[in-house]
mmCIF file of all heavy atoms in Angstrom:
data_model
loop_
_atom_site.group_PDB
_atom_site.id
_atom_site.type_symbol
_atom_site.label_atom_id
_atom_site.label_comp_id
_atom_site.label_asym_id
_atom_site.label_seq_id
_atom_site.Cartn_x
_atom_site.Cartn_y
_atom_site.Cartn_z
ATOM 1 N N ALA F 1245 20.780 38.380 32.186
ATOM 2 C CA ALA F 1245 21.233 37.568 31.056
ATOM 3 C C ALA F 1245 21.669 38.462 29.889
ATOM 4 O O ALA F 1245 22.708 38.211 29.260
ATOM 5 C CB ALA F 1245 20.119 36.619 30.611
ATOM 6 N N ALA F 1246 20.901 39.509 29.618
ATOM 7 C CA ALA F 1246 21.254 40.434 28.533
ATOM 8 C C ALA F 1246 22.576 41.137 28.844
ATOM 9 O O ALA F 1246 23.438 41.270 27.966
ATOM 10 C CB ALA F 1246 20.136 41.459 28.329
ATOM 11 N N ARG F 1247 22.751 41.570 30.092
ATOM 12 C CA ARG F 1247 24.001 42.248 30.476
ATOM 13 C C ARG F 1247 25.187 41.293 30.377
ATOM 14 O O ARG F 1247 26.272 41.678 29.930
ATOM 15 C CB ARG F 1247 23.887 42.799 31.890
ATOM 16 C CG ARG F 1247 23.035 44.034 31.965
ATOM 17 C CD ARG F 1247 23.126 44.713 33.338
ATOM 18 N NE ARG F 1247 22.204 45.831 33.362
ATOM 19 C CZ ARG F 1247 21.042 45.832 34.007
ATOM 20 N NH1 ARG F 1247 20.656 44.777 34.709
ATOM 21 N NH2 ARG F 1247 20.250 46.879 33.965
ATOM 22 N N ALA F 1248 24.994 40.053 30.804
ATOM 23 C CA ALA F 1248 26.081 39.070 30.746
ATOM 24 C C ALA F 1248 26.476 38.799 29.303
ATOM 25 O O ALA F 1248 27.668 38.735 28.978
ATOM 26 C CB ALA F 1248 25.671 37.777 31.446
ATOM 27 N N GLU F 1249 25.488 38.666 28.444
ATOM 28 C CA GLU F 1249 25.787 38.398 27.033
ATOM 29 C C GLU F 1249 26.452 39.603 26.372
ATOM 30 O O GLU F 1249 27.352 39.447 25.553
ATOM 31 C CB GLU F 1249 24.509 38.035 26.272
ATOM 32 C CG GLU F 1249 24.781 37.605 24.848
ATOM 33 C CD GLU F 1249 23.536 37.133 24.126
ATOM 34 O OE1 GLU F 1249 22.556 36.733 24.785
ATOM 35 O OE2 GLU F 1249 23.556 37.151 22.882
ATOM 36 N N ALA F 1250 26.038 40.801 26.749
ATOM 37 C CA ALA F 1250 26.597 42.018 26.143
ATOM 38 C C ALA F 1250 28.006 42.306 26.653
ATOM 39 O O ALA F 1250 28.833 42.840 25.918
ATOM 40 C CB ALA F 1250 25.686 43.208 26.432
ATOM 41 N N GLY F 1251 28.263 41.964 27.912
ATOM 42 C CA GLY F 1251 29.575 42.270 28.489
ATOM 43 C C GLY F 1251 29.890 43.748 28.374
ATOM 44 O O GLY F 1251 29.037 44.595 28.622
ATOM 45 N N ASN F 1252 31.103 44.066 27.965
ATOM 46 C CA ASN F 1252 31.515 45.460 27.813
ATOM 47 C C ASN F 1252 31.378 45.958 26.381
ATOM 48 O O ASN F 1252 31.888 47.020 26.049
ATOM 49 C CB ASN F 1252 32.975 45.646 28.269
ATOM 50 C CG ASN F 1252 33.075 45.707 29.778
ATOM 51 O OD1 ASN F 1252 32.095 45.980 30.462
ATOM 52 N ND2 ASN F 1252 34.254 45.446 30.296
ATOM 53 N N ASP F 1253 30.705 45.196 25.543
ATOM 54 C CA ASP F 1253 30.516 45.567 24.146
ATOM 55 C C ASP F 1253 29.342 46.548 24.052
ATOM 56 O O ASP F 1253 28.188 46.166 24.239
ATOM 57 C CB ASP F 1253 30.242 44.312 23.326
ATOM 58 C CG ASP F 1253 30.132 44.573 21.838
ATOM 59 O OD1 ASP F 1253 29.659 45.665 21.448
ATOM 60 O OD2 ASP F 1253 30.502 43.678 21.059
ATOM 61 N N MET F 1254 29.640 47.810 23.763
ATOM 62 C CA MET F 1254 28.611 48.847 23.744
ATOM 63 C C MET F 1254 27.549 48.556 22.685
ATOM 64 O O MET F 1254 26.361 48.804 22.901
ATOM 65 C CB MET F 1254 29.226 50.227 23.519
ATOM 66 C CG MET F 1254 28.204 51.360 23.573
ATOM 67 S SD MET F 1254 27.235 51.444 25.097
ATOM 68 C CE MET F 1254 28.398 52.208 26.184
ATOM 69 N N VAL F 1255 27.938 48.011 21.534
ATOM 70 C CA VAL F 1255 26.952 47.693 20.499
ATOM 71 C C VAL F 1255 25.982 46.636 21.017
ATOM 72 O O VAL F 1255 24.764 46.759 20.861
ATOM 73 C CB VAL F 1255 27.647 47.234 19.191
ATOM 74 C CG1 VAL F 1255 26.621 46.732 18.184
ATOM 75 C CG2 VAL F 1255 28.473 48.369 18.605
ATOM 76 N N LYS F 1256 26.511 45.614 21.677
ATOM 77 C CA LYS F 1256 25.637 44.580 22.239
ATOM 78 C C LYS F 1256 24.779 45.140 23.372
ATOM 79 O O LYS F 1256 23.634 44.721 23.546
ATOM 80 C CB LYS F 1256 26.454 43.378 22.708
ATOM 81 C CG LYS F 1256 26.946 42.531 21.559
ATOM 82 C CD LYS F 1256 27.573 41.259 22.059
ATOM 83 C CE LYS F 1256 27.990 40.393 20.872
ATOM 84 N NZ LYS F 1256 28.496 39.107 21.315
#
Side-chain angles (χ1 to χ4, degrees):
R1247 285 190 184 105
E1249 186 175 338
N1252 281 340
D1253 184 327
M1254 183 56 79
V1255 173
K1256 285 188 177 185

